[in-house]
């Protein structure tokens, strides 16, 4: 809990510092434009990619396949899109890494590890019909 609280305090401070530094280096207007463009990009990706993964999930379920990878891709893409909407350049970098399929693959092992750990502690229960 302490780590999460520190994260909530430090991330906005770092984001503000980076935005101020960017404003100083490239100017106020270009900095604001970059923030707005990445926000609009995040909204667009949340809508289009979210629909794409929803369709893939639906198709996998209809075929009787386990939709594990599709669910994780969809969740990571959705989180990345939402993070892109937030103002700040560090969050934008994280959002882009989560949205781009090539770099999203880097996060999957950590997600699987976290899920396995939670399942071993019985904090996540899988139900089958």
């Amino acid at each position: 809990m302490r780590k999460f609280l520190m994260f909530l305090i430090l991330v906005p401070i770092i984001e503000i510092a980076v935005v101020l530094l960017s404003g100083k280096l490239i100017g106020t207007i270009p900095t604001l434009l970059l923030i707005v463009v990445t926000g609009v990009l995040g909204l667009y990706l949340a809508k289009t990619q979210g629909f794409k993964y929803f369709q893939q999930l639906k198709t996998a379920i209809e075929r009787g396949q386990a939709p594990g990878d599709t669910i994780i891709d969809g969740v990571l893409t959705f989180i990345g899109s939402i993070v892109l909407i937030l103002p700040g350049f560090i969050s934008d970098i994280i959002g882009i890494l989560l949205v781009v399929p090539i770099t999203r693959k880097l996060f999957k092992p950590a997600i699987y590890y976290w899920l396995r750990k939670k399942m071993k502690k019985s904090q996540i229960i899988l139900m089958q019909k």
Side-chain angles (χ1 to χ4, degrees), residues 32-69:
L32 291 175
L33 284 174
L34 280 171
I35 291 171
V36 169
V37 167
T38 57
V40 171
L41 177 66
L43 284 171
Y44 172 76
L45 289 171
K47 181 179 177 183
T48 58
Q49 296 296 312
F51 183 72
K52 171 186 164 190
Y53 284 108
F54 178 75
Q55 290 292 15
Q56 286 180 357
L57 177 63
K58 184 179 168 187
T59 303
I61 291 172
E62 287 172 353
R63 292 181 182 169
Q65 299 171 337
D69 273 347

Side-chain angles (χ1 to χ4, degrees), residues 91 100 106 108:
S91 60
V100 175
L106 301 173
K108 280 185 177 182

